[in-house]
Each structure stands twice: as structure tokens, then as C-alpha cells.
Amino acid sequence: MNKAFTRERDGEDEDDDVALPPLPAGGKNYITPAGYARLRGELLTLIDDERPKVVEAVHWAAKNGDRSENGDYLYGKKRLREIDRRIRFLTKRLEIAEVTDPSVHHGGDQVFFGATVTYADDEGEERTVTIKGIDEAESAQGEVSWISPIARTLLRTRVGDALQLPTPAGMREIEVLAVEYPSPPKHAE
């Protein structure tokens, strides 16, 4: 069969949904306003800036002749697939996103989405986590997804509550020490 009539596939595009962190069945994709703005900004940058530049580079490389040995062309096509995959991912996630502003709970002592919670485990070690959306949580910054075991254990509890946290090593007892929320934005009057 002539190569011109076969679909070019490296197997990379087949796993579009594999990278999607799972949502609970029927669950919402909660996200903070800042997280939504960050994802939307990334999507617009990919569409308006990066993709056109790569398309231009691939177009230029394609004019240079033999595409099978043209590194600029091959790399450009690969990069274009990566950008398109990320655009599809971001588009899907933003379509189902439910923006939830945690500042509405400012001053409260009950744990809801967006709370920064300080807790102590049964060995007296204190930890602080912020409950964020699946697509915005950065574990290196002490942020956890709202579907993580620690977040699920903490949600709807109050300061002073003693809880049972399931861990791979077995159940651990933790106590909620503090709950904080960001301040509501000041409106210009």
C-alpha cells in the first residue's frame, strides 16, 4: 500500500483521555477562580501564540524537501500533536469546570473546597494542606486535590474534630487544628 494513503500515527494521540485525572462518577470538576484563569490563559497562549508558530515552522520545513529526514519537520509535527492534545485536554476540562470561590467561607471553621487546613497526626506532627481542584493542585506547594484521601477525610469537618485517615499503612488519627480561607476580593466602589 502506498504510504500516502496510510494514516500517520505514532500511537501518541490514542491516549487523549488517559491523562485526565478521574472524577468521581457524576462528580463536578471543581476549580478555584485563579485555577480556572490559569488554565484558560494556558489554552489561549497555546491557541494564539505557540500553535501558529509551530505551524509556520512546519510549513517552512515542509518546503525544504525530503520530509522523512527533515528534523525540523519531524520535530514540528510531533510538537504540533502535543499542542493539539493539550488544547483538547484543556478545552474538555474547562467545559466541565465548576468555578467555586473559597473566599465565601472566609472566617468559617468548617472545611470546604478551597480551605487551607492545619492538622496534627497521632504522632503530633503538624501538616498544612490547601484543598484545590484536580487540575490545579500542586503537591509541592502543599495543595491537594479535593478527591484525595486527605481532602475527603477533612471535608465538612470543623476545628477540633478528631478523624480517621485511611493510609496505606492503616488508619491514622488526625485532629483539625485550624481552617483558613482567602479573604474576599475588595470591590471598588
Side-chain angles (χ1 to χ4, degrees):
M1 177 182 257
N2 186 335
K3 188 174 182 180
F5 294 106
T6 62
R7 185 161 186 214
E8 187 177 304
R9 204 122 161 98
D10 292 337
E12 296 173 23
D13 290 25
E14 294 172 9
D15 61 348
D16 283 340
D17 293 332
V18 173
L20 294 172
L23 289 170
K28 308 236 184 219
N29 184 25
Y30 295 109
I31 192 166
T32 63
Y36 185 87
R38 194 187 82 222
L39 291 181
R40 190 170 185 283
E42 180 185 350
L43 176 63
L44 294 176
T45 298
L46 287 172
I47 292 171
D48 296 338
D49 296 335
E50 283 193 50
R51 192 173 194 290
K53 288 176 186 174
V54 174
V55 167
E56 186 178 319
V58 168
H59 179 69
W60 170 83
K63 288 196 275 186
N64 289 337
D66 187 6
R67 294 177 184 175
S68 65
E69 295 181 13
N70 186 332
D72 289 331
Y73 178 78
L74 295 175
Y75 172 75
K77 291 291 283 186
K78 182 177 185 237
R79 180 69 185 130
L80 203 52
R81 284 192 301 273
E82 291 168 357
I83 290 171
D84 287 343
R85 186 172 22 262
R86 184 68 180 166
I87 288 171
R88 283 191 303 274
F89 171 82
L90 291 171
T91 301
K92 286 178 186 176
R93 294 309 266 220
L94 291 172
E95 284 174 357
I96 62 170
E98 177 137 341
V99 180
T100 304
D101 187 1
S103 68
V104 299
H105 300 291
H106 182 71
D109 70 342
Q110 190 172 10
V111 179
F112 293 108
F113 177 82
T116 298
V117 183
T118 301
Y119 65 93
D121 63 18
D122 49 9
E123 296 174 1
E125 186 176 336
E126 288 187 16
R127 292 193 174 97
T128 301
V129 296
T130 302
I131 301 170
K132 296 267 188 117
I134 294 169
D135 300 318
E136 63 181 328
E138 298 282 338
S139 60
Q141 296 176 357
E143 299 172 348
V144 296
S145 161
W146 67 274
I147 64 168
S148 67
I150 184 65
R152 286 178 176 251
T153 300
L154 292 170
L155 285 171
R156 303 226 187 287
T157 62
R158 295 184 183 276
V159 173
D161 286 354
L163 312 166
Q164 295 293 316
L165 174 65
T167 68
M171 291 299 239
R172 307 262 329 242
E173 189 168 309
I174 62 172
E175 180 183 351
V176 179
L177 302 176
V179 178
E180 296 176 26
Y181 291 95
S183 298
K186 299 202 184 325
H187 298 294
E189 292 182 21

